[in-house]
Amino acid sequence: MYLQDRKMTQECRDLISSLPRQGDGWMEGETTFYQYQGVWLANLFIQGVVAFQKHFQAHDTDILIATIPKVGTTWLKAISFALVNRVHYPDLQQHPLLTNNPHVLVPFLDMDLYNQKEVPDLTFFTSPRLFSTHSPYSLLPLSAKNSTCKLIVSLSRNPKDTFVSLWHFANRLRPTSSGTLSLEDAFDMFCRGVSPFGPYWDHVLEYWKESLENPQKVLLILTYEELKEQPTYNLRRMAEFLGSPFSPEEEANGVMNDISKLCSFENLSNLEVNKNGKSFNGKENNVFFRQGQVGDWLNCLTTEMIEKLDRITEEKFCGTGLRF
Ligand code: A3P
């Protein structure tokens, strides 16, 4: 359900009336972007983000996947679900990921559950609860920051690929009546930080800093590119971080490889449920799977765009040790 199907509370109306705004959205249903506590949020999701921040009570055993859109959230959800539930689903031929989109198995707290209802009923989620969020660290509810719940973060993806992925995604989701979002307009918004849950760089930096200060709480997978290059190594890191490392039998039986194959782009994108099904917010599942490659920016961006994005990234990440 989109927010426009649900009435915005007076409290939220009062809140947004005082926020900086920008008139253009990226995709379907987005008419306005609001800057809430430094973060750009579409009109469709701001109420869910605020309700999540206000009402969510984290359990110590919760696992939250925290990402900015288009850095590989769908993939990370699939891997995390398969890892956390591997004792329940040892037979990968019968696995829930074969018939359910990852966004159904690991719902968004901010964009989905708290967007549908001010205080959703979460009692039917069994421990360890596995959720996801696109909110940056600064917007997380206090209970998520103060409990021992774990945050798995795909630190990022090359900003040029993230932008290109977002631009394609936006155009897939725009109604024909709104026309195509040009590469130039999208690029301008992205560079100004006006992208979903942006600025992209601030989102990345917040989790990066938190992972350095609190490595027990925040696991960085580092980048989409590294996850692509070394999936089994990163699966091991995730399993250890979550307190359930692969046993010698699992190692011997190649369970990491099996999970990695189950969650691969090639496998997931070719499943019937992801080719023709619909799920989160009524979206067609296939919008979450495009190319799954590293480096598509080379085919899309002009030299000036590449230079500009590289310059912004260098400036923002200067002195942090982060590089793309
Ligand atoms: P591209 O648009 O470059 O193909 P998110 O899930 O955060 O929305 O990110 C979407 C990006 O991740 C898309 O990138 C999509 O194709 C890619 N993706 C989805 N599932 C994947 C998987 N299992 N393995 C690798 N990439 C995946």
Side-chain angles (χ1 to χ4, degrees):
M1 178 168 75
Y2 275 136
L3 181 60
Q4 71 252 37
D5 300 331
R6 174 187 161 216
K7 209 168 177 302
M8 195 180 264
T9 60
Q10 190 55 45
E11 197 183 350
C12 194
R13 280 177 206 284
D14 292 345
L15 170 75
I16 61 174
S17 68
S18 61
L19 297 179
R21 66 185 61 198
Q22 134 119 18
D24 300 322
W26 284 73
M27 34 201 121
E28 184 188 8
E30 292 182 355
T31 52
T32 316
F33 262 71
Y34 296 98
Q35 196 180 30
Y36 172 65
Q37 299 184 359
V39 183
W40 285 101
L41 301 169
N43 55 305
L44 295 178
F45 300 117
I46 189 162
Q47 178 152 281
V49 170
V50 175
F52 164 55
Q53 194 185 32
K54 195 165 150 194
H55 300 294
F56 178 66
Q57 288 303 319
H59 295 179
D60 281 341
T61 51
D62 283 348
I63 300 162
L64 301 191
I65 295 165
T67 54
I68 192 160
K70 310 325 291 173
V71 299
T73 316
T74 315
W75 187 19
L76 199 54
K77 283 185 180 195
I79 293 175
S80 307
F81 181 88
L83 271 183
V84 169
N85 293 293
R86 65 190 194 274
V87 281
H88 303 306
Y89 306 111
D91 180 1
L92 297 190
Q93 303 307 317
Q94 305 286 327
H95 200 277
L97 276 165
L98 299 177
T99 46
N100 296 274
N101 179 264
H103 293 289
V104 170
L105 298 173
V106 185
F108 284 108
L109 287 163
D110 38 17
M111 288 179 39
D112 189 355
L113 299 172
Y114 282 84
N115 210 37
Q116 290 182 35
K117 210 158 184 240
E118 184 72 10
V119 185
D121 178 10
L122 304 181
T123 52
F124 58 89
F125 287 92
T126 53
S127 176
R129 303 185 306 177
L130 186 54
F131 298 119
S132 74
T133 175
H134 275 328
S135 297
Y137 189 79
S138 55
L139 289 193
L140 291 187
L142 276 181
S143 73
K145 291 178 181 171
N146 296 338
S147 68
T148 59
C149 94
K150 306 255 190 192
L151 295 163
I152 303 181
V153 184
S154 150
L155 167 63
S156 186
R157 182 176 190 191
N158 183 316
K160 294 178 289 234
D161 270 341
T162 308
F163 163 68
V164 168
S165 181
L166 178 64
W167 175 63
H168 280 290
F169 184 72
N171 277 320
R172 279 289 312 275
L173 294 180
R174 275 168 88 85
T176 33
S177 57
S178 304
T180 306
L181 175 64
S182 74
L183 184 69
E184 290 72 21
D185 288 349
F187 186 77
D188 175 58
M189 285 199 282
F190 191 82
C191 289
R192 286 189 290 112
V194 189
S195 57
F197 295 85
Y200 160 90
W201 299 271
D202 298 14
H203 198 291
V204 170
L205 277 173
E206 282 187 14
Y207 282 109
W208 162 255
K209 284 189 188 143
E210 198 51 36
S211 78
L212 296 180
E213 281 165 26
N214 208 347
Q216 303 303 317
K217 183 167 192 73
V218 182
L219 173 76
L220 296 180
I221 302 300
L222 291 181
T223 62
Y224 177 95
E225 292 76 10
E226 284 173 347
L227 187 52
K228 194 105 187 141
E229 212 168 288
Q230 295 185 295
T232 48
Y233 164 74
N234 281 299
L235 253 67
R236 258 196 210 100
R237 285 179 63 214
M238 282 168 74
E240 279 164 20
F241 174 75
L242 294 173
S244 56
F246 289 105
S247 66
E249 294 95 289
E250 286 181 312
E251 293 271 355
N253 292 334
V255 174
M256 296 94 59
N257 278 325
D258 293 345
I259 292 182
S260 171
K261 274 191 209 141
L262 172 72
C263 300
S264 67
F265 182 86
E266 292 65 32
N267 188 49
L268 293 186
S269 63
N270 284 309
L271 296 171
E272 180 59 24
V273 62
N274 293 327
K275 282 205 286 200
N276 297 313
K278 285 187 180 181
S279 52
F280 163 60
N281 273 344
K283 287 188 177 76
E284 289 178 19
N285 292 335
N286 59 30
V287 299
F288 297 106
F289 303 91
R290 191 180 64 96
Q291 287 192 341
Q293 297 293 329
V294 172
D296 190 33
W297 56 271
L298 280 165
N299 304 316
C300 300
L301 303 184
T302 63
T303 311
E304 291 74 34
M305 286 173 167
I306 293 168
E307 282 172 6
K308 183 166 179 183
L309 260 188
D310 283 348
R311 199 167 51 246
I312 297 173
T313 305
E314 267 168 43
E315 281 167 15
K316 295 270 191 180
F317 291 167
C318 177
T320 64
L322 278 174
R323 267 188 303 125
F324 285 98

